[in-house]
Amino acid sequence: MSTGMSAKDVLDLIQREEVRVVDLRFMDFPGLWQHFSVPADTLDLDTFEEGLGFDGSSIRGWQSINESDMLVKPVASTAFIDPFFTAKTLVMICNICDPITGEDYSRDPRNIARKAEAYLKATGIGDVAYFGPEAEFFIFDDVRFDQTSHSGYYFVDSSEGIWNSGRDEQPNLGYKPRYKEGYFPVPPTDSQQDLRSEMMLKLIECGVPIECQHHEVATAGQAEIDMRFAPLVRMADNMLIYKYVIKNVARKANKTVTFMPKPLFQDNGTGMHTHLSIWRAGENLFSGDGYAGFSQTGLWAIGGILKHAPAILALSNPTTNSYKRLVPGFEAPVNLAYSSRNRSAAVRIPMYSKSAKSKRLEFRCPDPSCNPYLAFSALLMAALDGIENKIDPGEPLDKDIYDLAPEELAKVPTTPGSLRESLEALEKDHDFLLRGDVFTPDVVETWIDYKMENEVTALDLRPHPYEFALYFDI
């Protein structure tokens, strides 16, 4: 994604590259990218100031039908050439505005992230927060699912899946990663190197800096492509480009990608470990001479994140499926503690480098089903609350969690066990999000209501296939 481009630069780029279509994109409330397109020759300087109208009542979690008109205002600095469309197409990410007042829309996730960045500066604590999410995903060959009044099932498949080791593939050549052994065998066991490399190079082509790509732990095409860290809003923008490019490269190869946290039973789930550091005047505020090379400011930030973690999870782990991954007793980061080495702790201080510039915390709970604008904003707001109120994170959890005595383990708080519990935590603990008008009461209330009605209750009403195995003969 380009940076520093002005509206005039974008118009010049359209002429120079002979762009024919301009695609305008924005994020709906739950977290899916939306778009519509206009002929490139209809774009002028006024478009960037005045915006273009659309029906906000058709977007999930937004306006009611009697106040449906909204405006999209393209952000010139987000422009990139789409690598997938037949007609040459330039993409821009947009901000959402009210057509009458001209104000930024409170439920536009990108607006919330922009306000979080502004609030950081207003506190005087720092001037930039860098985020580095490590988003994982699965590449499948086939997916089928359905739910009716009398049936319900899902089926996913992959040529890499170890369950296909006995399938007649005429011929079956073997080399399928065993459960929990997908990290890091070379080809032919890793059959998707070329596909991931194409994803990586397409992302770079779209202006998203990439650090590495690799197969992940699970069988059946689990993968990770790591982006280089960036400021909050830009990283959330990049996260949307990331998902878009990966899904479309897979589709071109007649494969499909899911960012669901737990699509497979009895193998590793899909997380999005998120790295955070706060800087002021070019100085990393988290670097110091305390525990694991952290500063007192950094430890207070961890204190804020641990205190508010149950509420944060309503935004960073916002699906019912998220809590199939966050299960105690496994490798999942469910312990609300911090450590420099213990990967079952919710917050880790990576020890890859002792450089002051690289010092950051890693919040290990999130998964890529989240709306990144909301999740990153909530994480920053919790860290700032910890710094402002000097919240003590307690002692680090450096012992092996599996070796702790039951009475010692009982003292370690854990993450919520379900989306319902996380939403209830958010309902009780959201004042830290409201500071600086970053999140508004309307946003928090709408998020809780939408998730409860459309996901939590909707799932509660439906029988689960495994319930038939447990109970049909009673």
Side-chain angles (χ1 to χ4, degrees):
M1 183 169 59
S2 301
T3 57
M5 290 185 70
S6 67
K8 184 178 183 305
D9 292 333
V10 170
L11 296 177
D12 290 343
L13 178 65
I14 288 171
Q15 292 293 322
R16 186 169 66 252
E17 295 290 332
E18 298 182 349
V19 170
R20 301 184 63 193
V21 178
V22 172
D23 200 49
L24 303 172
R25 299 187 186 176
F26 58 93
M27 183 65 117
D28 74 2
F29 199 52
L32 282 178
W33 229 8
Q34 310 292 315
H35 80 130
F36 67 93
S37 300
V38 298
D41 58 10
T42 65
L43 206 70
D44 56 28
L45 289 174
D46 290 340
T47 309
F48 292 87
E49 292 294 325
E50 299 172 3
L52 297 169
F54 74 102
D55 178 8
S57 69
S58 298
I59 304 301
R60 298 180 303 167
W62 277 12
Q63 299 287 71
S64 59
I65 194 67
N66 64 317
E67 51 180 10
S68 58
D69 290 344
M70 302 293 289
L71 291 176
V72 296
K73 290 189 177 181
V75 179
S77 62
T78 67
F80 67 94
I81 302 294
D82 190 287
F84 301 108
F85 294 131
T86 302
K88 197 156 198 179
T89 301
L90 180 135
V91 174
M92 281 186 287
I93 299 172
C94 301
N95 294 324
I96 308 300
C97 302
D98 185 287
I100 298 174
T101 65
E103 294 178 356
D104 292 322
Y105 182 42
S106 65
R107 292 188 216 165
D108 172 17
R110 194 172 193 271
N111 178 36
I112 293 168
R114 291 161 60 212
K115 288 191 290 183
E117 285 191 325
Y119 179 71
L120 167 63
K121 294 176 183 176
T123 63
I125 291 170
D127 48 40
V128 62
Y130 287 111
F131 284 78
E134 300 173 350
E136 299 166 342
F137 53 95
F138 275 91
I139 303 167
F140 291 132
D141 295 310
D142 187 41
V143 56
R144 289 176 279 128
F145 51 89
D146 199 9
Q147 176 80 59
T148 70
S149 62
H150 67 284
S151 68
Y153 70 90
Y154 70 88
F155 179 87
V156 294
D157 201 11
S158 166
S159 59
E160 269 199 4
I162 190 62
W163 58 81
N164 284 322
S165 60
R167 183 170 66 177
D168 183 5
E169 296 180 343
Q170 300 183 355
N172 188 324
L173 301 177
Y175 292 107
K176 301 180 189 299
R178 288 179 284 270
Y179 291 113
K180 300 183 182 294
E181 293 188 22
Y183 192 92
F184 280 167
V186 298
T189 303
D190 177 3
S191 68
Q192 297 175 345
Q193 168 70 11
D194 284 342
L195 186 62
R196 292 194 311 273
S197 287
E198 184 180 353
M199 293 169 176
M200 176 176 70
L201 295 173
K202 278 282 189 286
L203 282 164
I204 293 170
E205 184 182 326
C206 292
V208 179
I210 300 297
E211 293 187 338
C212 71
Q213 61 91 346
H214 58 83
H215 203 290
E216 255 298 341
V217 174
T219 187
Q222 192 182 35
E224 178 175 317
I225 301 175
D226 290 337
M227 293 176 281
R228 182 170 173 77
F229 65 87
L232 192 160
V233 174
R234 189 184 308 166
M235 179 50 78
D237 289 343
N238 286 352
M239 189 70 217
L240 304 189
I241 300 171
Y242 178 92
K243 282 188 170 184
Y244 174 76
V245 168
I246 286 169
K247 288 177 179 178
N248 281 283
V249 169
R251 189 175 180 88
K252 277 182 61 182
N254 205 31
K255 294 182 182 289
T256 187
V257 159
T258 183
F259 289 91
M260 272 182 69
K262 191 69 174 178
L264 295 183
F265 174 52
Q266 290 186 321
D267 209 340
N268 281 40
T270 288
M272 189 180 75
H273 305 150
T274 300
H275 298 252
L276 166 65
S277 61
I278 298 175
W279 292 58
R280 183 180 63 226
E283 178 186 355
N284 185 354
L285 300 182
F286 287 1
S287 179
D289 55 7
Y291 172 80
F294 238 49
S295 66
Q296 183 61 66
T297 297
L299 291 173
W300 286 332
I302 291 174
I305 291 168
L306 293 177
K307 175 183 176 181
H308 298 298
I312 296 170
L313 262 63
L315 297 159
S316 66
N317 301 72
T319 70
T320 58
N321 186 252
S322 297
Y323 300 85
K324 303 292 195 297
R325 166 180 168 258
L326 295 177
V327 178
F330 297 91
E331 295 178 10
V334 298
N335 300 291
L336 295 180
Y338 69 103
S339 174
S340 63
R341 306 294 292 271
N342 194 331
R343 290 172 182 263
S344 67
V347 176
R348 192 172 73 94
I349 301 173
M351 300 301 290
Y352 300 126
S353 172
K354 295 184 179 180
S355 164
K357 288 187 175 181
S358 66
K359 194 57 65 176
R360 74 264 188 200
L361 65 82
E362 177 190 23
F363 188 44
R364 294 177 61 80
C365 298
D367 66 58
S369 69
C370 70
N371 183 327
Y373 296 113
L374 302 183
F376 297 164
S377 296
L379 185 58
L380 176 60
M381 295 300 287
L384 291 175
D385 184 57
I387 296 168
E388 290 180 300
N389 291 293
K390 300 182 178 180
I391 298 174
D392 182 3
E395 294 300 313
L397 181 67
D398 284 336
K399 298 177 183 177
D400 187 334
I401 197 74
Y402 304 108
D403 291 340
L404 289 180
E407 59 273 15
E408 197 173 358
L409 184 59
K411 296 176 184 176
V412 181
T414 59
T415 55
S418 68
L419 179 58
R420 179 187 294 276
E421 290 180 25
S422 291
L423 292 168
E424 289 170 350
L426 177 61
E427 192 167 29
K428 295 174 184 175
D429 175 29
H430 60 260
D431 286 350
F432 72 101
L433 297 174
L434 304 181
R435 291 181 187 140
D437 200 38
V438 174
F439 288 75
T440 59
D442 168 63
V443 165
V444 175
E445 181 182 339
T446 302
W447 182 264
I448 293 170
D449 290 347
Y450 181 92
K451 286 286 174 177
M452 282 290 194
E453 179 182 349
N454 294 283
E455 298 177 34
V456 174
T457 303
L459 194 73
D460 286 348
L461 291 171
R462 288 161 170 80
H464 189 285
Y466 193 58
E467 289 177 313
F468 284 82
L470 292 173
Y471 308 129
F472 188 76
D473 59 350
I474 59 175

